[in-house]
Amino acid sequence: MGKKFKLSMRGRHILEGYSFISIWIIGFLLFMLIPLGQSFYYSLNHLELTQGGLKATYAGLEHYRAAFATDIDFRPFLQTTVTNMLTQVPLILIFSMMSALLLNRGFRGRMLFRGIFFLPVIIASGAILRELLEQGAAQLPIFYQSDLFGKLNAFIPEDILEPLLEYADSLTMVMWDSGVQILIFIAGLQTISPSLYEAAKCDGATKWESFWKITFPMIMPMLFVNTLYSIVNSFTKPDNKIMEYINNIAFRSNNYGYGSAMGWIYFIVISIILAIVFFIFRRSLSATEGRR
C-alpha cells in the first residue's frame, strides 16, 4: 500500500487560509477580472459613443499624461486624499486599540458598549453617511460656535494650533470609522494567554511593561490587518473627493477613457502604499510568528 499523504502544520495552515479566500478568488475571476481588463483597455483609448456601441481609437498613454500635465483638479484631489489617509489612519488605529483594551476588561454592560461602537459601521455608511456629512454631523460644534481658534491662538502659535484643531475636529469620523478595528483588536486580545501576564507579574513587570512586551507584540497581526483595512476604507469613503471626481468624469461627462486612466492611477497609488505597509510589517510579523 502507498504511503499516506500528510501535510505539515505550516501546509495545513496555508491550505486553511486559501480555503477561506477561495470564494473571493472565484468571485474575482468570474465578476471582476473582465471589467478590470476592459477598464485598462479603455484607459489606452479614446472612446466615442456610436449607435453600434463604443468606438475605440488607440491613444496610448495620453490619458495618463493628461492627468498630471493638464488636469488642474486631479492632482490636488489625489494629494488631499492621500494626506487625509496619512493623518486619519494613525488616529483610528490608536483610538481603536485603546478602546479595545478598555472593552476587553470584565465589567457589566461591555457587550452593550461593543455594540454601540460597532453601530456606526451599520448605520453611517453609503448614502446615509454622505447625507450626515452634508448636514455637518461629523463636526463638533465647539470648534466653530465658540471661536476656539481665536481663544487659543493667544497661547499657541497658529502653525501648531491649526493642525491640532483639525485633528480634534475629525474625532467624530475617527470614532465612526473604528468599529471593525475595535472588534478585531478585541479578538486578538482574547487569544493572549493570561498565564503570560501572570508570569510577567511574578517577574516584577509593570502593566506598562507588560503591554509593550506581551500585548503589543501579540496583537501585531491584528494591527497589520487593521492598518490595511483602515487604508482601503479611507480610500473608498463616500466623502472621497478623488472618487467623486473620477465618477463625474467617467459617467456624467461620458469620458470613459480618461476616467479609466485616472482610476488606474488611483489604483497604482493605493497599491504602492499597501506594499509599503507590507514591507514595514514584514519583519514584525516574522518575529511574532517566531514567538508563537
Side-chain angles (χ1 to χ4, degrees):
M1 295 179 66
K3 294 182 178 180
K4 292 183 178 180
F5 179 73
K6 292 184 178 180
L7 286 174
S8 64
M9 182 66 72
R10 179 175 176 81
R12 287 199 294 270
H13 287 167
I14 293 174
L15 184 61
E16 289 174 359
Y18 277 109
S19 65
F20 279 117
I21 65 173
S22 59
I23 297 178
W24 182 89
I25 293 175
I26 294 172
F28 175 81
L29 294 175
L30 291 177
F31 303 109
M32 295 184 63
L33 185 61
I34 294 177
L36 280 175
Q38 285 181 331
S39 68
F40 182 71
Y41 172 74
Y42 291 163
S43 70
L44 300 176
N45 290 270
H46 290 296
L47 298 175
E48 181 183 356
L49 286 172
T50 64
Q51 293 182 350
L54 290 174
K55 179 182 179 182
T57 305
Y58 183 71
L61 299 177
E62 180 179 337
H63 293 312
Y64 292 89
R65 288 193 295 266
F68 292 101
T70 61
D71 196 327
I72 62 174
D73 295 321
F74 178 72
R75 284 188 298 173
F77 284 151
L78 182 61
Q79 182 179 357
T80 301
T81 301
V82 174
T83 303
N84 290 338
M85 182 277 298
L86 293 175
T87 56
Q88 290 187 3
V89 168
L91 293 176
I92 291 172
L93 294 175
I94 294 172
F95 175 81
S96 58
M97 184 183 298
M98 294 176 61
S99 301
L101 290 170
L102 294 174
L103 294 174
N104 192 49
R105 296 183 176 183
F107 61 91
R108 289 185 178 180
R110 63 175 180 174
M111 296 301 296
L112 174 63
F113 283 101
R114 290 177 184 178
I116 292 174
F117 276 102
F118 190 76
L119 198 59
V121 178
I122 303 173
I123 297 177
S125 60
I128 298 176
L129 179 58
R130 188 179 294 110
E131 183 65 25
L132 290 173
L133 292 175
E134 291 177 356
Q135 295 181 7
Q139 295 179 336
L140 298 176
I142 188 174
F143 293 103
Y144 56 88
Q145 291 181 356
S146 304
D147 190 24
L148 195 61
F149 181 84
K151 294 178 181 178
L152 295 177
N153 195 23
F155 307 98
I156 304 175
E158 181 177 347
D159 295 337
I160 299 176
L161 180 60
E162 186 173 355
L164 286 177
L165 290 181
E166 288 180 359
Y167 294 151
D169 194 27
S170 64
L171 287 178
T172 302
M173 290 301 301
V174 168
M175 289 186 288
W176 286 359
D177 293 335
S178 299
V180 174
Q181 293 89 327
I182 291 174
L183 291 184
I184 293 176
F185 274 131
I186 291 175
L189 291 171
Q190 292 180 349
T191 62
I192 303 176
S193 175
S195 61
L196 295 176
Y197 295 105
E198 294 174 1
K201 188 176 181 180
C202 293
D203 290 337
T206 62
K207 291 184 178 181
W208 182 253
E209 291 172 337
S210 297
F211 172 78
W212 287 111
K213 297 296 184 180
I214 300 175
T215 305
F216 190 76
M218 294 296 286
I219 64 172
M220 187 62 67
M222 289 70 189
L223 179 62
F224 173 58
V225 172
N226 281 337
T227 303
L228 294 181
Y229 176 84
S230 301
I231 291 174
V232 174
N233 186 56
S234 175
F235 282 128
T236 56
K237 291 171 64 175
D239 61 335
N240 193 316
K241 297 295 183 183
I242 189 68
M243 290 190 64
E244 183 179 352
Y245 181 65
I246 294 174
N247 182 71
N248 291 336
I249 292 295
F251 299 106
R252 294 187 180 181
S253 301
N254 295 328
N255 195 344
Y256 302 112
Y258 185 46
S260 299
M262 289 191 295
W264 274 96
I265 293 173
Y266 191 45
F267 172 74
I268 292 172
V269 171
I270 296 174
S271 300
I272 292 173
I273 294 174
L274 293 179
I276 294 173
V277 172
F278 268 99
F279 178 79
I280 293 174
F281 278 89
R282 182 180 59 179
R283 183 172 299 179
S284 300
L285 292 174
S286 299
T288 303
E289 288 295 329
R291 292 189 186 97
R292 295 186 176 184

